[in-house]
Structures are given as structure tokens and as C-alpha cells.
Amino acid sequence: MKIGILTSGGDCPGLNAVIRGAVLKGRRKYDIDFVGIRDGWKGLVDADFFPLTTGDVKGLSKVGGTILGTSRTNPYEGDRGGAENIKKTLWGHKVDGVIAIGGEGTLAAAQRLWNDGIPVLGVPKTIDNDLRATDYSFGFDTAVNIATDAMDRLRTTGDSHQRCMVAEVMGRHVGWIALHSGMAAGAHIICIPEVPLTLDDITKQVLAANDRGRAPLVVVAEGFKLEGQDEAYSDRGLDAFNRPRLGGIGEVLAPLIEHATGIETRATVLGHIQRGGSPSSFDRVLATRLGLHAADMVYEGAWGKMVAMKGTEIERVSFEDALGELNEVPAHRYEEASALFG
Ligand code: F6P
């Protein structure tokens, strides 16, 4: 049996650990051959395949990025795209099925290909932790650790100058990174996409922290909207999926906070730093386990499903379940954290 592996969408620490887990177990236990598919769905459409051996995945669990490359390509677009062309490409190269590692967009494409008769299974990836079918996705823990470390640093410089520091983290639709890193770093207010706040709500907490002699730390997710704001802030055009490129709300908030409070306020946008570098040990273990289970699924012919973490166990869920609603921060979790604000 020969299986292709691809990584698609935004990269994420832990992708290489999934690839390593799948290839090592697939080769050693089930005698499966693997090919790497370069740059996500693009490589599938273009038949850009290369052999992937156990030697190629040596030492990969600690390596950030993806050795396969990634892109935000839609496999149904272009002259060579679409299920019938892809079937011909796969069968022509004697590839029996595909392990697709990616987020919402990738898994939606995987589901469509599966419905059109192509054996595909999914491994969820998102630093935002926004997929409901899995309790945690790899990359999230690493992003939270990086953001927390950055905020700890922002706090010492903020303290020295008695400045208000605004830290902007990723989180397009959900505020998990902001909530966890903000709680870990002792933020005085956390702004997430699920909870619109007024400028007044924010400055009240900034002033309360300042009155207690603390240098206020404001944590904001890129997808946060001030009450009354229709769309998340974006001034960087659209990405390949026609989604606005987010980022910059921290820079918008900082002068507003400074003007309203009289406290000098500086913004730091953490951006792609959160997605780069080595995965945390939690993410290495999670990603490796997902890869190992993906190899089991291939052997058992359990296509059309996704591996997911439920509690501490790895389970299989349908693409339908995986692609239902987003994993938003529940109101009670925000409420819980808000006891620490100000
Ligand atoms: O989906 C994960 C994510 O990190 C979002 O938080 C962010 O908006 C997006 O990816 C950025 O993607 P790109 O690197 O393609 O601009």
C-alpha cells in the first residue's frame, strides 16, 4: 500500500511530529510506503510527490514548520483540479489514499474529496484551537507558551516605565490563545472575538490596574471587535482563501487607550512568532499520537474520518462532526478569567 501525506493551510509547530509518527508506525508495523505531497493540495493537483522513508523523518518531532511545505490551495480549482483529475493522478502514481493534515479549510476540502470517492483522512491542525471535534489541537500549547513568555517580558519593561502594554496574539474567530496566555501572564484585561467590549470596559480595567501601582497589560486577539465594530480589523488585503489578513487591532487600541487614560501605551503584535520554531513537549506528544493513530486508520481502511483528542484519548470523528461549529471560548471561561481583571 502507498499513502500520500500533505500539510495544508497555515503552518503550525507539530506538523513534522505528525508526519514522523505516521511514517514510523506505518512502515514498521504495517509495511506501508509513503510519499510526501509537496505544498498541500497544490502538490496533489500537480502530482508533486516524493518518497518519504523512515530515514527522512528521523529527529523530526522537535522541528518546527513542515518538511512537506504548505499552501492555501483549493484542490477543486485549476485545470488539473477536481476529484476526477485527482483520482487519475493518484491511481497513476499508485497512491492508495491521502493523509491530510490541516485546519478547517483543509478538512472541508478533504471531506469533499472523500464524498467524491477519494480515500482521505484528516489530522486537525490549528494554533487557534478553533475545531470543536478535538479538545486540543497541536500548535496551540506552543503558541500559548510563546505568547506568555513575550507577555512576561512586556510586563517587566512596562513596569520599568509605568506604561500600559498591549499584546496582540493570533485568534481569528476564537480567543483561546489570548485567554490562556493572558491568564498565565496575569493580564489586566483580555479582549477576545467572542466578547465585544467597549473602549470604556477596557480603560476601566487599565485604570484600576494603574491605580494599584501596576503597569497594565492588555491582551487582545487579532479577531477582537470593539462593540459596534462589524468586522475584525484588517488593513492587509485578502489571503488565498479570500479571508481578510488580520492583525493590527493592538495598534488601533493603543492610542485610544492612551488618549482615554493619559497613560503612555505601547502595542506589540506577536504575529507569526507564535507559529514558528520548535513545538512544546505537549504538542510533540499530541502530534505524534495523532500521527500514530492516522497510520492505524490507514491500515484499517477507516477513511473519511479525522483523528481527534477527547480528554486524554485519541479518537476518530467524522468530517461532519469536525466541521460543525467552531470551538469558541464559552462564556463561563471568560467569566472565570474576568475575576482577575483590573
Ligand atoms: O488559522 C491560524 C492563523 O494563525 C490565524 O490565527 C491567522 O489569522 C492566520 O492563521 C494567519 O494566516 P497566514 O499566515 O496565512 O496569514
Side-chain angles (χ1 to χ4, degrees):
M1 192 190 313
K2 188 155 74 174
I3 298 299
I5 308 188
L6 61 83
T7 51
S8 171
D11 76 332
C12 174
L15 289 170
N16 284 327
V18 178
I19 298 165
R20 173 177 169 272
V23 170
L24 288 184
K25 187 160 189 188
R27 279 293 320 142
R28 288 177 183 170
K29 185 156 183 203
Y30 303 126
D31 205 24
I32 299 169
D33 286 323
F34 288 92
V35 289
I37 302 174
R38 213 169 258 117
D39 296 338
W41 298 121
K42 183 171 180 297
L44 185 58
V45 168
D46 295 343
D48 195 353
F49 305 150
F50 60 96
L52 204 51
T53 66
T54 50
D56 295 321
V57 300
K58 204 167 75 186
L60 267 195
S61 66
K62 58 182 171 306
V63 181
T66 163
I67 58 160
L68 303 177
T70 186
S71 67
R72 292 196 191 272
T73 305
N74 182 338
Y76 280 84
E77 277 174 7
D79 291 347
R80 301 173 53 120
E84 291 316 310
N85 285 333
I86 291 173
K87 272 183 205 166
K88 281 188 208 138
T89 306
L90 285 173
W91 307 165
H93 286 78
K94 299 194 174 358
V95 176
D96 301 292
V98 175
I99 298 175
I101 313 169
E104 216 195 331
T106 305
L107 297 171
Q111 177 185 34
R112 192 168 163 197
L113 291 168
W114 162 245
N115 289 338
D116 286 341
I118 297 177
V120 187
L121 65 85
V123 178
K125 168 249 45 157
T126 143
I127 67 160
D128 290 0
N129 202 35
D130 59 3
L131 291 169
R132 181 152 281 188
T134 186
D135 287 350
Y136 280 103
S137 48
F138 64 87
F140 169 67
D141 183 67
T142 307
V144 169
N145 286 333
I146 293 168
T148 304
D149 177 62
M151 288 170 200
D152 289 347
R153 290 166 194 278
L154 289 174
R155 290 201 67 172
T156 65
T157 166
D159 277 334
S160 307
H161 292 266
Q162 287 112 50
R163 285 175 177 152
C164 170
M165 305 304 277
V166 177
E168 180 187 305
V169 296
M170 280 187 169
R172 173 171 287 272
H173 303 294
V174 304
W176 286 109
I177 298 176
L179 184 80
H180 279 220
S181 58
M183 281 185 85
H188 300 103
I189 176 79
I190 301 172
C191 310
I192 62 174
E194 295 89 334
V195 183
L197 300 172
T198 62
L199 183 61
D200 211 43
D201 294 329
I202 298 170
T203 54
K204 215 168 82 192
Q205 305 297 1
V206 165
L207 287 168
N210 187 65
D211 289 349
R212 291 191 299 109
R214 314 306 307 272
L217 173 66
V218 177
V219 173
V220 57
E222 61 182 358
F224 168 74
K225 298 187 278 289
L226 275 172
E227 216 169 275
Q229 200 183 325
D230 289 335
E231 303 290 339
Y233 181 79
S234 164
D235 65 356
R236 299 162 192 195
L238 302 177
D239 68 13
F241 281 168
N242 277 334
R243 304 179 312 172
R245 288 199 190 100
L246 300 187
I249 181 70
E251 305 274 10
V252 172
L253 284 180
L256 296 176
I257 294 171
E258 180 166 311
H259 185 255
T261 62
I263 303 166
E264 186 181 354
T265 304
R266 299 293 184 91
T268 299
V269 179
L270 294 180
H272 291 85
I273 299 246
Q274 295 159 94
R275 289 222 312 244
S278 195
S280 66
S281 50
F282 179 90
D283 281 339
R284 291 181 204 186
V285 173
L286 172 57
T288 303
R289 292 181 72 202
L290 293 173
L292 296 172
H293 282 256
D296 295 337
M297 285 167 75
V298 167
Y299 179 70
E300 292 168 31
W303 302 105
K305 292 185 167 42
M306 187 191 92
V307 278
M309 187 190 199
K310 298 278 188 187
T312 57
E313 296 304 314
I314 306 296
E315 295 185 359
R316 299 169 188 186
V317 297
S318 67
F319 282 131
E320 283 75 21
D321 288 344
L323 295 166
E325 289 163 68
L326 283 174
N327 179 30
E328 293 185 336
V329 173
H332 74 269
R333 284 294 313 270
Y334 189 77
E335 177 69 25
E336 177 186 71
S338 68
L340 305 166
F341 293 169

